[in-house]
Amino acid sequence: KAGVTQTPRYLIKTRGQQVTLSCSPISGHRSVSWYQQTPGQGLQFLFEYFSETQRNKGNFPGRFSGRQFSNSRSEMNVSTLELGDSALYLCASSLETAGNSPLHFGNGTRLTVT
Amino acid sequence: GDSVTQMEGPVTLSEEAFLTINCTYTATGYPSLFWYVQYPGEGLQLLLKATKADDKGSNKGFEATYRKETTSFHLEKGSVQVSDSAVYFCALISNTGGFKTIFGAGTRLFVKA
């Protein structure tokens, strides 16, 4: 079974630009979550989608948005990039939104904003 | 809100040493608890989990016991290998405002040959 696939692996953007990251979950998984990982803040929850609906959202500004398609693939968009947005963005899928479903992570997209 | 606190690293051990990484949590109710591991250049992988009090999760020689009375989920391994060098994250699933997984800050482990 293929794992979670994130594209691209690396991105370099300049301040003010926007970026779209893509995530394909494990087949059959309907929940997709996004996390930002930085050395200073660790893993911060961005949002979670289930059956094309955003179910939960973390404390990030509105510049961070996402969506999920009918095939469960998800995209995350960051507009008006700032230097502080440089991070590893991790996507994770799970079988369902529930209290005991573990997350299955992709290898991440490393975004560098210059 | 719900949170996870784990010991700061890095932790440096010699091969075959005993490993303990402490993890405590604050949560409403009795959340499921997890340990994830992250190798360089990769995403996180589930290492083990426990879903109720006194459960012991185990995998690849690692184990952790869900202790409700001390709100802890310490990770242990009797004999570490160089290949265990990685960052370890303790986590819980919070049900505050919808289900989401909350992670500790991570503990980096270095194992020397």
Side-chain angles (χ1 to χ4, degrees), chain A residues 9 35 37 56 99 103 105-107, chain B residues 32 36 38 41 43 97-99 101:
Chain A
R9 283 299 306 272
Y35 286 82
Q37 187 178 25
N56 209 343
L103 298 174
F105 282 85
N107 286 334
Chain B
S32 294
Y36 288 84
Q38 185 176 33
F99 290 114
T101 300

Side-chain angles (χ1 to χ4, degrees), chain A residues 85-105:
Chain A
D85 297 333
S86 294
L88 180 66
Y89 290 88
L90 291 166
C91 167
S93 71
S94 63
L95 207 50
E96 57 188 40
T97 299
N100 60 8
S101 292
L103 298 174
H104 300 263
F105 282 85

Side-chain angles (χ1 to χ4, degrees), chain B residues 6 22 29 38 43 45 57 89 92 106-107:
Chain B
Q6 58 183 109
N22 290 336
Q38 185 176 33
Q45 302 173 24
F89 293 89
L92 61 82
T107 302

